[in-house]
């Protein structure tokens, strides 16, 4: 469209585009992957429409948005607005929460423009779908951890990198340790701080809300249920979940393949003693085992060893320490290594996993890896990648590997 196009015609085209995009959005929203693809396209178009100065100003003001929401949560504004059937005035919210009325108005002002709350009148507020989802612990608690610990570490990261002469972080020191003035790594630190630990656990639970399970897009039968050369399947292990937390992944896998699992071997959940001790309900078919993955693997010759979101916490050197124990336990020609993590494209990464890489850098001196980096890492540990199972750049992928 040329610069000489009449304003009335431009306005008409915009209205037509708006109707088309609204229809496209409704259709795409019915399928998660299609929705993500369309969202990525919208963001690309917004980026193209923004002026360079607008891009910088938006980035400058983004921390202010998160700070306003965190303040609103700390003031107790979310619950009374979300749970009310009628709008709440600032005066009513001040009476409920004990917060200053003028402060409430100022904190909610940017949040209403973002759609987190709705401004329905003078100093009067109502809930939106975003307000309500913040009352879900796995979302609200996850936001608190990401703001209080992760964002604080990320903001401190430039200072930390400058102190290291801008070396690529590989541990053991982290921006988190520098920001919080502690010698402890994140997980030991969380063990000593109950509220942040609870928020972190909420975050881990929340990540499962929209995640597509690996066995919903990878060919599980070709990976696990064929070429069974085990001499006694009932006495061997079918799938060992290393560092599997409270067993959510194994439980979901067992429910998805109840018939196939039966008689094919044990399902083994491994994690540190405090984690195993904290597990509540878990199906009796899942064996619980205390294990530190920096020590020799006690389950030898399993059909598959599965690690989800473990390696991105660590540098290549620490990952090789973990891998060497897995490789030694694998039976050549039979055992598989299954890694469920982000596989960044070698070029053109989506924004979310690229930012997640910055998050891992700040908290752990860890990293998200590209396909080339995965090949180099696993290859250096004596493994050969069979296949990258994926359904797109906007989701995690499954790496299937065997011993060389």
């Amino acid at each position: 469209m040329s610069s000489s196009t009449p304003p009335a015609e431009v306005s008409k085209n915009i209205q037509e585009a708006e109707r088309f995009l609204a229809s496209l959005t409704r259709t795409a929203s019915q399928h998660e992957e299609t929705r993500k693809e369309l969202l990525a396209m919208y963001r690309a178009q917004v980026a193209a429409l923004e002026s360079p100065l607008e891009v910088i100003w938006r980035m400058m003001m983004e921390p202010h948005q998160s700070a306003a929401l965190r303040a609103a949560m700390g003031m107790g504004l979310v619950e009374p607005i979300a749970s009310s059937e009628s709008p709440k005035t600032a005066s009513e919210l001040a009476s409920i929460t004990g917060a200053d009325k003028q402060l409430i108005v100022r904190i909610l002002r940017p949040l209403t423009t973002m759609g987190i709350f709705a401004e329905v009148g003078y100093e009067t507020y109502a809930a939106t779908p975003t307000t309500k989802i913040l009352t879900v612990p796995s979302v609200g608690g996850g936001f608190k951890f990401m703001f209080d610990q992760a964002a604080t570490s990320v903001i401190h990261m430039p200072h930390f990198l400058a102190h290291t002469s801008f070396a690529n972080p590989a541990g053991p020191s982290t921006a988190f340790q520098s920001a919080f003035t502690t010698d402890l790594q994140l997980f030991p630190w969380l063990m000593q701080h109950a509220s942040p630990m609870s928020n972190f656990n909420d975050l881990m639970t929340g990540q499962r809300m929209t995640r597509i399970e690996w066995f919903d897009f990878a060919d599980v039968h070709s990976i696990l249920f064929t070429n069974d050369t085990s001499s006694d399947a009932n006495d061997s292990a079918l799938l060992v979940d290393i560092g599997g937390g409270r067993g959510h992944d194994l439980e979901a896998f067992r429910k998805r393949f109840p018939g196939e699992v039966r008689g094919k071997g044990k399902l083994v959940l491994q994690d540190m003693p405090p984690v195993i001790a904290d597990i509540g309900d878990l199906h009796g078919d899942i064996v619980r085992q205390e294990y530190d993955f920096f020590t020799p693997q006690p389950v030898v010759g399993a059909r598959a060893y599965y690690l989800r979101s473990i390696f991105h916490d660590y540098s290549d050197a620490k990952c090789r320490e973990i891998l060497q124990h897995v490789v030694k336990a694998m039976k050549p020609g039979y055992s598989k290594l299954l890694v469920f993590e982000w596989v960044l494209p070698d070029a053109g990464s989506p924004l979310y996993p690229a930012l997640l890489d910055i998050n891992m850098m700040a908290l752990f001196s860890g990293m998200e890896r590209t396909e080339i980096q995965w090949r180099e890492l696993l290859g250096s540990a004596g493994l050969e990648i069979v296949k990258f199972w994926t359904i797109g750049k906007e989701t995690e992928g499954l790496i299937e590997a065997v011993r060389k």
Side-chain angles (χ1 to χ4, degrees):
M1 186 180 300
S2 69
S3 59
S4 61
T5 303
E9 185 176 341
V10 173
S11 178
K12 179 182 177 181
N13 290 338
I14 290 175
Q15 292 173 2
E16 292 177 353
E18 185 176 10
R19 287 192 292 271
F20 172 74
L21 291 175
S23 174
L24 186 61
T25 297
R26 286 192 297 271
T27 302
S29 295
Q30 299 175 17
H31 187 271
E32 182 64 13
E33 285 309 302
T34 304
R35 185 192 68 81
K36 287 183 177 180
E37 290 179 9
L38 183 61
L39 182 60
M41 185 272 288
Y42 283 166
R43 286 172 173 161
Q45 292 304 312
V46 169
L49 191 61
E50 282 184 311
S51 71
L53 186 59
E54 286 173 331
V55 171
I56 300 303
W57 270 103
R58 172 173 52 78
M59 293 183 67
M60 285 194 292
M61 303 306 289
E62 281 172 350
H64 303 59
Q65 301 173 16
S66 296
L69 178 55
R70 184 66 181 92
M73 297 171 78
M75 294 160 67
L77 298 176
V78 175
E79 184 61 37
I81 297 177
S83 61
S84 178
E85 296 183 0
S86 58
K88 292 288 186 184
T89 66
S91 296
E92 290 173 321
L93 291 170
S95 177
I96 294 170
T97 65
D100 181 82
K101 173 190 170 183
Q102 186 177 16
L103 178 62
I104 291 173
V105 172
R106 296 177 67 190
I107 290 295
L108 291 182
R109 185 177 292 132
L111 299 178
T112 57
T113 68
M114 298 164 60
I116 295 176
F117 300 91
E119 185 179 37
V120 296
Y122 176 71
E123 295 184 351
T124 306
Y125 310 95
T128 69
T130 305
T131 317
K132 294 181 179 181
I133 201 170
L134 282 168
T135 64
V136 178
S138 59
V139 177
F143 182 88
K144 290 176 183 177
F145 172 82
M146 288 299 292
F147 185 87
D148 296 350
Q149 280 73 51
T152 299
S153 302
V154 169
I155 290 172
H156 191 77
M157 188 179 67
H159 171 78
F160 171 77
L161 293 176
H163 185 70
T164 66
S165 299
F166 296 101
N168 187 46
S173 297
T174 67
F176 164 79
Q177 292 172 307
S178 180
F180 286 86
T181 319
T182 177
D183 293 330
L184 296 175
Q185 299 283 342
L186 176 63
F187 290 134
W189 185 89
L190 288 174
M191 292 290 185
Q192 298 182 7
H193 297 80
S195 181
M197 172 60 92
S198 176
N199 292 335
F200 176 81
N201 288 333
D202 285 340
L203 176 69
M204 293 298 99
T205 301
Q207 286 184 337
R208 299 182 59 86
M209 292 178 65
T210 58
R211 196 185 85 200
I212 299 174
E213 301 288 2
W214 66 272
F215 46 76
D216 286 331
F217 61 84
D219 186 350
V220 178
H221 285 82
S222 71
I223 296 172
L224 293 178
F225 301 130
T226 60
N227 300 322
D228 187 354
T229 59
S230 174
S231 58
D232 188 351
N234 287 315
D235 193 45
S236 65
L238 172 67
L239 186 60
V240 181
D241 188 349
I242 303 172
R246 296 177 179 175
H248 297 299
D249 285 33
L250 272 187
E251 187 67 72
F253 176 81
R254 185 197 63 80
K255 290 180 178 178
R256 180 70 170 79
F257 300 97
E260 293 90 336
V261 168
R262 191 173 300 114
K264 288 288 187 178
K266 301 173 183 176
L267 301 178
V268 182
L269 173 66
Q270 297 179 333
D271 214 306
M272 298 292 283
V275 178
I276 296 297
D278 190 50
I279 296 174
D281 293 335
L282 191 64
H283 196 276
D285 288 348
I286 299 176
V287 178
R288 311 179 192 192
Q289 188 175 70
E290 297 178 355
Y291 174 60
D292 177 351
F293 47 58
F294 286 107
T295 63
Q297 171 59 243
V299 180
V300 177
R303 178 59 166 156
Y305 297 88
Y306 169 79
L307 297 97
R308 173 186 171 258
S309 300
I310 299 295
F311 294 118
H312 73 166
D313 290 349
Y314 299 101
S315 65
D316 284 352
K318 298 301 288 185
C319 288
R320 279 189 286 269
E321 289 184 30
I322 299 171
L323 286 167
Q324 69 175 344
H325 298 301
V326 181
V327 172
K328 287 180 181 179
M330 293 173 69
K331 180 179 179 180
Y334 174 70
S335 299
K336 305 280 186 74
L337 173 72
L338 304 178
V339 178
F340 190 24
E341 292 207 19
W342 285 95
V343 181
L344 305 185
D346 295 323
S349 172
L351 179 60
Y352 175 73
L355 292 178
L356 187 58
D357 179 51
I358 302 300
N359 188 68
M360 304 313 294
M361 182 193 303
L363 288 177
F364 301 101
S365 287
M367 66 189 299
E368 304 296 342
R369 291 174 171 84
T370 65
E371 183 173 321
I372 288 177
Q373 288 172 322
W374 278 117
R375 290 189 184 278
E376 292 175 347
L377 174 61
L378 298 187
S380 69
L383 292 157
E384 180 181 356
I385 293 178
V386 176
K387 185 170 182 176
F388 290 98
W389 297 89
T390 180
I391 51 175
K393 298 188 294 184
E394 298 285 346
T395 63
E396 296 160 293
L398 183 77
I399 306 170
E400 177 188 357
V402 296
R403 282 184 62 169
K404 289 182 181 178

